[in-house]
Amino acid sequence: MSETRFSSREIVRIDFRSNVQHVPPHMPPSVQKATTKFLGTRASVVDLVGDEQWQTLRQAGHDLRLHTITHLDYYLEMLEENVTKAGGHVHWARDAEEARRIVLEIARGGSRNVKRAVKAKSMATEEIGLNHFLIDAGIQTLETDLGEFIIQLAGVGPSHIIVPAVHLTKEGIAALFREKLGVDAPTDPIQLAAIARAKLREEFLAADMGISGANFLVAETGTLVIVSNEGNGRMCTTLPPLHVAVVGIDKVVPDMESLNVLLKLLPRSATGQKMSAYTSFITGPRRTDAENGPQEFHLILLDNGRTRILQDEIARETLLCIRCGVCLNVCPVYNNVGGHAYGWAYSGPIGAILVPQLLGTEVAGDLPFASSLCGACAEYCPVKIPIPEILLRLRHRVVEGDPVGGPSASPLLRVAAEVGGRTLGQPWLYELGTQLLKVIQIPLRKDGWLPNLPPPLNRWTMSRPMPAFGADFRDWWRDRTPEGRQHNVARKIGLGALVVGLITLAAWLLARKKSR
Amino acid sequence: MTTTPNPAREEILGKVRMALLRRIDAPVPPVPSSTRVPSRIPGAAGVEIELLLNEIRKLGGHTRRIAQRDEIAGAVAELVRAEEINKATTWETAELAELGMADILRGLGVELVSPHAGPRRLAECDLGVTSVDAALPETGTLLLRSTPERPRLVSLLPRVHLALVRPSALRADLGQAFADVRNDGYFVFVTGPSRTADIELTVTIGVHGPKALHVWSTELS
């Protein structure tokens, strides 16, 4: 599934397990500015709801999504039945390749012969790499969400779930417009948006096919729900005679009432809005010729690894996600490396748990390590996904393997983890180790710091010095009582003798080896 | 329902059941009651209208309260002047017909385009006039249905969208709004004019949808 990877140009993918010292050199300040602003507007609308009510809503959102995904087969069948009743066509795609093939078959099927497609913003189509595929097949495929339009021009993937071009400045975007569109573009966001509007108007009117994703699929009514702000989503699903939606099977909700909760949580968490400008509810194609809307509607239900995620009782909560992106905004790692460092369509904490499960830990096994486990993501998540717990679960899978996936870490790491675990499990061995380190560090020590460690530990010291091993908490604690002090003295004599003994032994062995 | 066997469908549903350890016809409990939130208790109609219009103004929309039938012609004349309206299209609902919207516009010298005209002609319109089928004061949201009298493009393609809200359209919250339209083929919630913050998070109003939204409440005595 490497086709879901972005083109490598301009992108510095970080290997979060082996390479912690290379923060992207051009990490733009616009990212942190944007995430800070998002969090500010979110806080003000959440405050209006009131903390108690907000927590009730989050719990309701969690329970609702969990109920749905733990009865997913039932709701998917209900959805299929109702979309079909409404005159829509339902397709099932096991993986990205199958989903792309189905879209192309629809575009070329019957008398259709689609030449131009317009796209609404959709993470599922980013995930399956649909644009490149359709363009290679000779169908002009154009992103119409402003942010997606910009990154399509730039030839890169999204760096944020909600604001895909957040890594670019207005100067960069103006330069891109001048280069790719051949227009005189000023560095003013409002005028840049106007240029995109004018360019895309004609495309909406001329397109033969509209492609979208969905925020929710309502099983009870067979309804596709699209939350958007610009109006391009409405254009793509109203103007072309054919509408094709590609949606992950995890997006189902039982009924309209479910949206009472989810439509309160999503816009507030994502953009700090009480409601997004447009929330469209689409059930099948248009019902009469006198109405606007497409004559034909196709829904492609995408698995692409989601059924595998369901297998693990803890990690399956990943599928509760409603793609609001708030976990990116609060994540200290995302804020320092940006979305492209994750190397896949989904970034930030949700990307760190979703991608290794979608693609397998052997492909993206470093992503669960892209976290300090600070827990901010779980605190902000509107559907209470226990992201830190799932990160640990996946780290475990990477190193030791579990029923869902075999270990993918190098044997060396596994041995190191094993040795570390045993040492920490034996107090005497641990104490001996700490005393030994105090001696071994002497030649490396400088003003209370260890500025340069030998390889492979130099990976740490290349980016920051290591504090020297010094005071010992357990010593200090025991020193507070007379018995403890006695114990400390005895222990120090014992350990000192042991350390001296070990060093003497080592020196003797070394001398013997040399004299041979 | 599809009658031809679909191996992808069977495989996906089979994998789901296997992962969940669910038998094919295992019973499904009702949606847990913890997922239902109590409905909002609305205030008096006048208060609700003011709340609705206030929320819309906060989003960059323009609002107006109309209490007398004879105020309408003047209000439309002002709008036509201020927004430089030359061409307009309107929904064909009974509510708009009763207000005489088409005649008022024609009387002001505005060219009227049929709402059933092609998209290119509708895109040339400066103004699209609609009624609304429900309004949610708490969020400043308008619900627009899609029927032959209510073409979707009228509120989407013209440069300016004028929506008329009568007090009977007020609903307390989303749940109440769904009750009327849950079986519709299409409806859309409109909350303020179209917007984006995709470039450096600078809010820009009027991207692909209308550049301006005017909402008038018609509380005709």
Side-chain angles (χ1 to χ4, degrees):
Chain A
M1 255 174 275
S2 58
E3 65 275 5
T4 57
R5 220 181 243 266
F6 313 133
S7 67
S8 57
R9 119 188 103 106
E10 290 183 48
I11 289 180
V12 188
R13 159 85 154 96
I14 294 183
D15 182 334
F16 285 100
R17 202 170 44 220
S18 63
N19 182 354
V20 293
Q21 72 273 32
H22 285 151
V23 166
H26 305 300
M27 175 65 188
S30 58
V31 174
Q32 287 181 21
K33 234 167 79 185
T35 55
T36 308
K37 204 163 163 187
F38 264 151
L39 290 175
T41 49
R42 173 197 170 275
S44 60
V45 292
V46 169
D47 280 351
L48 283 176
V49 174
D51 188 56
E52 196 182 330
Q53 177 64 12
W54 182 250
Q55 298 309 333
T56 307
L57 281 170
R58 287 179 72 214
Q59 190 61 47
H62 176 269
D63 294 354
L64 184 77
R65 296 286 295 135
L66 192 61
H67 167 83
T68 316
I69 66 155
T70 49
H71 302 93
L72 190 58
D73 55 325
Y74 172 77
Y75 287 115
L76 283 172
E77 287 194 297
M78 187 193 283
L79 174 79
E80 179 188 44
E81 188 182 331
N82 289 316
V83 171
T84 311
K85 257 191 212 159
H89 302 272
V90 178
H91 309 259
W92 300 75
R94 284 166 283 204
D95 54 28
E97 192 275 324
E98 191 165 31
R100 291 190 301 255
R101 186 170 49 72
I102 293 170
V103 176
L104 190 60
E105 278 170 13
I106 295 168
R108 286 183 175 161
S111 58
R112 281 181 297 257
N113 193 19
V114 168
K115 292 264 184 288
R116 303 169 88 162
V118 281
K119 271 197 73 228
K121 180 168 159 27
S122 141
M123 290 307 291
T125 56
E126 289 283 358
E127 177 187 324
I128 63 168
L130 184 63
N131 291 1
H132 283 299
F133 176 78
L134 290 180
I135 291 166
D136 288 348
I139 296 174
Q140 181 207 298
T141 308
L142 202 65
E143 292 287 353
T144 60
D145 169 85
L146 181 57
E148 292 281 343
F149 176 71
I150 293 166
I151 60 169
Q152 190 181 28
L153 286 181
V156 297
S159 68
H160 191 287
I161 290 176
I162 300 295
V163 273
V166 70
H167 58 288
L168 294 173
T169 59
K170 54 183 186 291
E171 290 78 17
I173 295 164
L176 193 66
F177 277 24
R178 283 194 290 268
E179 182 199 330
K180 304 274 177 172
L181 301 177
V183 294
D184 179 29
T187 58
D188 170 35
I190 294 169
Q191 294 186 53
L192 290 170
I195 292 171
R197 175 188 167 105
K199 155 99 182 128
L200 290 172
R201 261 292 150 127
E202 183 50 38
E203 302 291 342
F204 288 127
L205 294 169
D208 318 299
M209 171 162 78
I211 302 171
S212 77
N215 294 88
F216 304 107
L217 297 167
V218 184
E220 181 202 31
T221 53
T223 304
L224 192 77
V225 182
I226 300 178
V227 177
S228 72
N229 271 308
E230 297 180 6
N232 65 311
R234 291 178 72 193
M235 298 276 187
C236 292
T237 58
T238 308
L239 285 170
L242 168 66
H243 174 196
V244 178
V246 183
V247 189
I249 54 172
D250 51 321
K251 291 293 173 112
V252 180
V253 297
D255 48 22
M256 287 282 179
E257 281 64 41
S258 309
L259 299 175
N260 289 350
V261 171
L262 296 172
L263 284 179
K264 285 195 176 83
L265 291 168
L266 175 61
R268 285 179 172 86
S269 300
T271 47
Q273 292 172 289
K274 291 179 189 169
M275 280 283 272
S276 299
Y278 303 118
T279 310
S280 308
F281 293 73
I282 301 165
T283 311
R286 71 183 184 200
R287 294 202 170 163
T288 61
D289 287 345
E291 271 179 88
N292 295 139
Q295 288 118 290
E296 229 184 309
F297 171 68
H298 293 260
L299 171 63
I300 300 169
L301 292 169
L302 176 71
D303 178 350
N304 204 30
R306 286 164 174 80
T307 49
R308 185 167 58 175
I309 298 181
L310 265 187
Q311 288 173 31
D312 185 302
E313 232 170 282
I314 290 176
R316 74 165 57 133
E317 294 206 19
T318 309
L319 296 178
L320 307 186
C321 179
I322 56 173
R323 309 278 190 269
C324 71
V326 76
C327 60
L328 281 62
N329 299 340
V330 295
C331 179
V333 175
Y334 176 87
N335 272 289
N336 279 289
V337 300
H340 287 152
Y342 294 77
W344 310 92
Y346 304 99
S347 58
I350 187 63
I353 59 171
L354 182 59
V355 175
Q357 295 188 81
L358 286 178
L359 306 174
T361 35
E362 59 286 350
V363 181
D366 65 306
L367 291 185
F369 296 84
S371 167
S372 61
L373 300 178
C374 75
C377 46
E379 229 167 87
Y380 278 70
C381 177
V383 291
K384 297 180 84 163
I385 301 173
I387 296 178
E389 210 178 316
I390 298 173
L391 285 165
L392 288 175
R393 187 80 163 182
L394 296 174
R395 288 183 188 186
H396 181 90
R397 181 178 300 166
V398 168
V399 177
E400 294 191 8
D402 64 17
V404 180
S408 58
S410 75
L412 197 69
L413 180 66
R414 271 148 63 198
V415 169
E418 181 72 13
V419 170
R422 282 182 194 267
T423 310
L424 293 172
Q426 300 284 342
W428 68 270
L429 201 57
Y430 173 76
E431 285 219 22
L432 178 64
T434 56
Q435 301 308 319
L436 266 177
L437 283 173
K438 283 188 199 169
V439 178
I440 293 169
Q441 69 173 348
I442 292 170
L444 301 168
R445 220 178 133 142
K446 211 174 165 189
D447 304 329
W449 292 91
L450 303 174
N452 295 299
L453 288 174
L457 301 172
N458 62 345
R459 298 232 164 148
W460 177 286
T461 50
M462 276 162 82
S463 61
R464 52 206 176 278
M466 172 101 180
F469 299 94
D472 180 331
F473 171 75
R474 298 200 292 183
D475 259 11
W476 173 86
W477 182 254
R478 279 188 297 250
D479 258 346
R480 292 152 43 98
T481 61
E483 307 88 72
R485 270 197 291 279
Q486 275 177 16
H487 177 97
N488 267 351
V489 171
R491 220 179 100 264
K492 274 192 182 141
I493 294 169
L495 279 169
L498 194 56
V499 167
V500 169
L502 280 172
I503 291 173
T504 317
L505 183 70
W508 178 72
L509 284 172
L510 210 67
R512 218 172 69 134
K513 202 177 162 194
K514 266 193 187 155
S515 67
R516 269 203 198 153
Chain B
M1 294 289 300
T2 43
T3 45
T4 47
N6 180 339
R9 175 185 190 275
E10 300 319 315
E11 192 179 319
I12 292 170
L13 288 173
K15 279 183 174 172
V16 169
R17 291 191 187 104
M18 193 103 90
L20 298 171
L21 306 173
R22 264 173 56 78
R23 279 181 300 106
I24 193 157
D25 285 319
V28 173
V31 179
S33 59
S34 66
T35 66
R36 305 306 196 198
V37 286
S39 19
R40 171 175 169 268
I41 297 156
V47 178
E48 292 282 281
I49 287 274
E50 200 41 58
L51 180 58
L52 174 80
L53 300 184
N54 192 37
E55 285 298 320
I56 292 169
R57 280 194 298 274
K58 280 197 237 167
L59 295 165
H62 308 278
T63 66
R64 182 161 194 156
R65 285 181 80 151
I66 293 177
Q68 303 290 331
R69 170 171 293 277
D70 53 20
E71 285 174 39
I72 293 176
V76 175
E78 267 178 49
L79 176 75
V80 164
R81 212 171 25 250
E83 296 277 9
E84 296 171 23
I85 308 295
N86 295 312
K87 270 188 203 179
T89 182
T90 91
W91 272 8
E92 295 172 330
T93 54
E95 189 186 338
L96 291 180
E98 201 219 326
L99 293 172
M101 187 53 71
D103 289 334
I104 295 173
L105 285 166
R106 239 181 252 115
L108 291 163
V110 175
E111 181 191 336
L112 273 187
V113 174
S114 161
H116 303 291
R120 282 179 196 278
R121 289 207 62 209
L122 292 176
E124 288 166 7
C125 287
D126 305 298
L127 174 69
V129 186
T130 71
S131 44
V132 312
D133 297 292
L136 309 176
E138 202 184 11
T139 52
T141 299
L142 311 175
L143 187 154
L144 305 174
R145 301 173 70 175
S146 167
T147 66
E149 304 80 47
R150 299 170 173 86
R152 300 177 206 179
L153 296 176
V154 171
S155 65
L156 184 61
L157 288 176
R159 179 165 57 80
V160 179
H161 175 202
L162 168 63
L164 286 99
V165 186
R166 63 201 189 291
S168 61
L170 290 171
R171 299 288 179 276
D173 58 15
L174 278 171
Q176 283 201 14
F178 287 139
D180 302 332
V181 294
R182 59 187 310 137
N183 294 315
D184 278 21
Y186 178 95
F187 57 93
V188 61
F189 287 123
V190 175
T191 309
S194 86
R195 58 180 56 233
T196 186
D198 273 348
I199 300 177
E200 291 196 359
L201 240 64
T202 305
V203 174
T204 305
I205 296 213
V207 195
H208 300 301
K211 290 183 174 177
L213 172 68
H214 293 257
V215 180
W216 297 353
S217 71
T218 51
E219 304 149 83
L220 307 185
S221 43

